[in-house]
Amino acid sequence: MRAVMQNRDMSACMGVKTRKVDSATFAIGCGLAGIAGCAVSLLGSIGPSTGQNYIVDAFMVVVLGGVGKLSGTIVGALMIGITTPCLNTSPRRAWGKSSSSPW
């Protein structure tokens, strides 16, 4: 997957079937999205606004951890997951979202 992403032409020259890699990547992404949807549906009711409570945290994890770095993503998720509940005990709950970022 990484070789096709970085240099599609060279991967094709080396014999990698790039169309199959594209299909497998799409299938894995769809499967993970389906599993995530099932997990979120267990938390509450389903509607058009399902997941809006989690989108800000997910975006902050990606920005904090770095795109493409699994260890950074895990560290970012732990930092946000630990600091947000601690800061949500403050008088204003919005501080929990705004000050969990280190910047």
Side-chain angles (χ1 to χ4, degrees):
M1 283 184 204
R2 178 178 269 177
V4 172
M5 179 189 72
Q6 289 181 351
N7 195 341
R8 177 176 296 278
D9 295 332
M10 186 55 74
S11 298
C13 288
M14 297 298 289
V16 176
K17 295 182 171 96
T18 57
R19 298 258 184 202
K20 285 190 177 185
V21 172
D22 292 342
S23 298
T25 304
F26 183 75
I28 290 170
C30 288
L32 288 174
I35 291 170
C38 289
V40 169
S41 70
L42 296 173
L43 298 176
S45 63
I46 303 299
S49 62
T50 301
Q52 286 183 347
N53 296 336
Y54 310 107
I55 193 74
V56 173
D57 291 336
F59 182 72
M60 288 188 342
V61 164
V62 171
V63 169
L64 185 65
V67 178
K69 297 180 181 178
L70 184 61
S71 60
T73 303
I74 292 171
V75 169
L78 286 173
M79 283 178 60
I80 290 174
I82 291 170
T83 57
T84 300
C86 293
L87 294 173
N88 277 344
T89 59
S90 65
R92 300 188 61 166
R93 290 194 169 274
W95 291 353
K97 292 285 185 199
S98 63
S99 26
S100 60
S101 175
W103 296 284

